[in-house]
Amino acid sequence: VGLQRPPCLVVIDSIQTMICESGGTAAAGGVTQVRECVGLFLRLAKMTGTPVVLVGHVTKSGGVAGPRTVEHMVDCVLYLEGDRGGLNNLRMLRAAKNRFGSSEEVGVYEMDQTGGKLVPVSDPSSLFLSNRFDTFDSDGCAITVMLEGLRPMTVEVQALVTASSTGGKSFAGRRCVDGISTARLLLILAVLQKRCGISFSRYDVYVNVVGGIRLSSNARQGSESDLATAVALVSSLTGIAVRADTAFVGEVGLLGELRQVISLEKRVNEARRMGFSRIITPDGGRRRKGSLIKKESRRRHNNANGIEWIKCEGLLDAISAGLVSRLPLTKGNRLKMPKSEIGSGDVGTLIIDDDDYDDERD
């Protein structure tokens, strides 16, 4: 096509298959050919004013294949990602670089099975919770509000905890996760054992984020769902159901405290829009002295435009607020487990140190 009548749009699929004379005798896909071909299309776009879309390969680590200079030469770097399970027709468009706007925006699309087209999803939260049984409380299931770029989304975190049938007293159970990082799960389990006295050492733990959403695609993402993961784990372990009208947002610290997350107001508004009447979040006020899992209960309630906003400082207090009933304890501060879950030895007995329960029983 001549320069007097340029095309409206040029799509190159893919840039690794293109060759040009300035690239010399280098093979297609090499560093020299990719760099020279990108430069050629860049000059073409500037001369004619025609938008050029370059489709490229990605490496195993998820980066753009080829020299890093390619990302600096173009105006936008977009990643079209597919989910790893669940809703196989879900796609997300993320911006790693954008000279024309915010790189925090995320597009959610659904693959049309009939026409093979990508259809925008205007309400991802309703899509992720479409198969949720929200009419009754269930154990091992908690809802969190995550942020994909600037867009809040409600997702369901499920956990299953079962007693291991093999291994001795020092045996550590299996840890299987899908949707969050294994390191994040191990951190939550360690905090529950050290700060709350709840041990999962001889239990098999399975955690899944419904819908194929990954809560660990970058370093900052994933920690916002710590509280929901912890609630689902303790609920599955004890058999006490999680309140279906409650959402959970918060990062778990190594001291057993709940730490703040960004855009908390936006998450609360999204939970209210989705019909939740309660949301449990970290307390943004000044932390008081003393242990976070002992002494008086540190929980504040307020109403935020139709939703009960519960702010907690400690992890154990937040877990108790999200369950339908208090954790069952014996006189020796041991957690009573259902008989069907008790294995050999003391597998079904856990120690919880919380003076709140002692005060209530007294």
Side-chain angles (χ1 to χ4, degrees):
V1 179
L3 296 180
Q4 296 180 353
R5 211 174 155 188
C8 298
L9 178 66
V10 176
V11 179
I12 307 300
D13 187 9
S14 66
I15 190 61
Q16 280 80 10
T17 61
M18 304 298 293
I19 59 175
C20 61
E21 294 182 357
S22 58
T25 59
V31 174
T32 303
Q33 285 288 0
V34 171
R35 183 178 62 249
E36 294 299 328
C37 288
V38 172
L40 177 63
F41 288 113
L42 180 62
R43 293 190 295 269
L44 175 65
K46 290 183 177 180
M47 291 174 56
T48 63
T50 304
V52 178
V53 178
L54 303 179
V55 180
H57 300 168
V58 295
T59 61
K60 293 182 179 179
S61 60
V64 178
R68 300 291 296 182
T69 55
V70 173
E71 299 185 31
H72 298 290
M73 296 170 66
V74 298
D75 295 325
C76 296
V77 179
L78 306 177
Y79 288 89
L80 185 62
E81 303 174 355
D83 65 310
R84 301 174 63 92
L87 298 175
N88 294 321
N89 57 346
L90 188 66
R91 303 292 184 270
M92 287 194 177
L93 186 64
R94 307 177 189 271
K97 174 185 178 182
N98 187 5
R99 291 180 179 173
F100 306 107
S102 174
S103 60
E104 297 295 330
E105 292 290 345
V106 176
V108 182
Y109 300 88
E110 188 176 10
M111 181 67 72
D112 187 5
Q113 298 295 337
T114 58
K117 299 180 180 179
L118 286 177
V119 180
V121 178
S122 58
D123 190 2
S125 297
S126 300
L127 177 64
F128 298 145
L129 300 182
S130 58
N131 296 325
R132 175 175 176 261
F133 298 100
D134 55 355
T135 56
F136 58 91
D137 306 323
S138 58
D139 62 281
C141 174
I143 302 299
T144 186
V145 185
M146 58 177 288
L147 277 183
E148 280 289 350
L150 300 177
R151 175 181 295 184
M153 303 179 187
T154 55
V155 295
E156 180 180 352
V157 180
Q158 294 182 347
L160 178 64
V161 180
T162 59
S164 299
S165 58
T166 59
K169 292 185 177 181
S170 61
F171 175 74
R174 178 183 299 179
R175 307 291 184 253
C176 297
V177 296
D178 186 13
I180 66 173
S181 65
T182 305
R184 204 69 206 174
L185 173 63
L186 296 179
L187 183 147
I188 296 173
L189 295 177
V191 172
L192 286 173
Q193 178 175 351
K194 178 68 175 181
R195 303 301 179 184
C196 303
I198 305 177
S199 176
F200 293 80
S201 59
R202 279 167 282 173
Y203 287 87
D204 293 335
V205 176
Y206 305 87
V207 177
N208 175 51
V209 180
V210 179
I213 296 297
R214 296 199 61 83
L215 303 180
S216 56
S217 60
N218 55 61
R220 298 187 52 133
Q221 196 178 22
S223 59
E224 55 195 359
S225 62
D226 287 352
L227 179 57
T229 304
V231 171
L233 288 170
V234 176
S235 172
S236 179
L237 179 67
T238 60
I240 302 177
V242 181
R243 293 188 55 164
D245 60 345
T246 305
F248 304 87
V249 176
E251 176 184 353
V252 174
L254 296 181
L255 300 180
E257 81 280 15
L258 294 183
R259 306 187 66 88
Q260 283 285 359
V261 296
I262 62 175
S263 303
L264 192 55
E265 290 282 351
K266 186 181 295 185
R267 301 172 194 263
V268 174
N269 294 333
E270 179 68 11
R272 181 179 64 249
R273 188 185 70 85
M274 292 302 299
F276 292 95
S277 59
R278 302 169 76 242
I279 184 170
I280 300 177
T281 68
D283 191 352
R286 186 176 180 181
R287 190 177 303 163
R288 288 172 283 182
K289 296 182 180 180
S291 173
L292 290 171
I293 59 175
K294 295 183 178 181
K295 307 302 178 185
E296 72 278 0
S297 177
R298 298 176 180 180
R299 187 187 308 171
R300 293 194 300 165
H301 298 251
N302 61 348
N303 192 286
N305 298 326
I307 184 172
E308 183 182 2
W309 191 346
I310 304 174
K311 300 179 180 180
C312 302
E313 290 186 10
L315 174 59
L316 191 59
D317 191 39
I319 294 176
S320 178
L323 301 179
V324 296
S325 60
R326 303 302 296 265
L327 296 174
L329 299 178
T330 63
K331 294 183 179 180
N333 280 345
R334 291 181 179 270
L335 179 64
K336 294 181 181 179
M337 295 294 298
K339 294 183 179 180
S340 59
E341 295 291 335
I342 297 180
S344 59
D346 58 346
V347 173
T349 304
L350 304 177
I351 300 176
I352 288 187
D353 186 8
D354 192 347
D355 291 347
D356 293 343
Y357 297 112
D358 296 339
D359 298 338
E360 290 180 2
R361 287 199 304 273
D362 295 340

